[in-house]
Amino acid sequence: MCTDGPRGSHLNPHAPRVIQRWNGQTWEPHGLAADLAEAKRILYREAGEPPASVPSPTRRPFGTGTGRHRKPQAPRPAPDER
């Protein structure tokens, strides 16, 4: 599932939109827009365009460690024992 950007914005782009803003405790009505393009112009007027999607953090491979559920590391042979 991709979670970058607004979800569902591709559905009915020509349908009217209700714009709400968060006041710190609840969502409250802010305005109406005739379609998705007008809603984006209202919401992102400071930048002139929607903000670029922020890349999700990359997953790091498991590192070495002695976490609670990790198996103990087997001792490695010394380089001269090979």
Side-chain angles (χ1 to χ4, degrees):
M1 181 170 112
C2 181
T3 59
D4 296 337
R7 291 180 284 170
S9 62
H10 65 285
L11 300 174
N12 300 323
H14 301 293
R17 306 289 170 147
V18 175
I19 300 172
Q20 297 178 333
R21 293 240 169 130
W22 182 253
N23 70 4
Q25 295 182 344
T26 185
W27 290 99
E28 56 186 25
H30 178 70
L32 297 172
D35 58 7
L36 178 61
E38 183 179 345
K40 286 183 177 183
R41 282 192 299 273
I42 293 170
L43 292 172
Y44 307 116
R45 91 177 69 155
E46 299 86 26
E49 60 184 43
S53 63
V54 178
S56 61
T58 58
R59 297 186 112 191
R60 296 183 305 157
F62 293 113
T64 60
T66 57
R68 181 175 168 188
H69 299 287
R70 298 221 176 180
K71 293 181 180 179
Q73 297 285 328
R76 293 185 176 180
D80 58 325
E81 291 179 9
R82 289 186 183 176

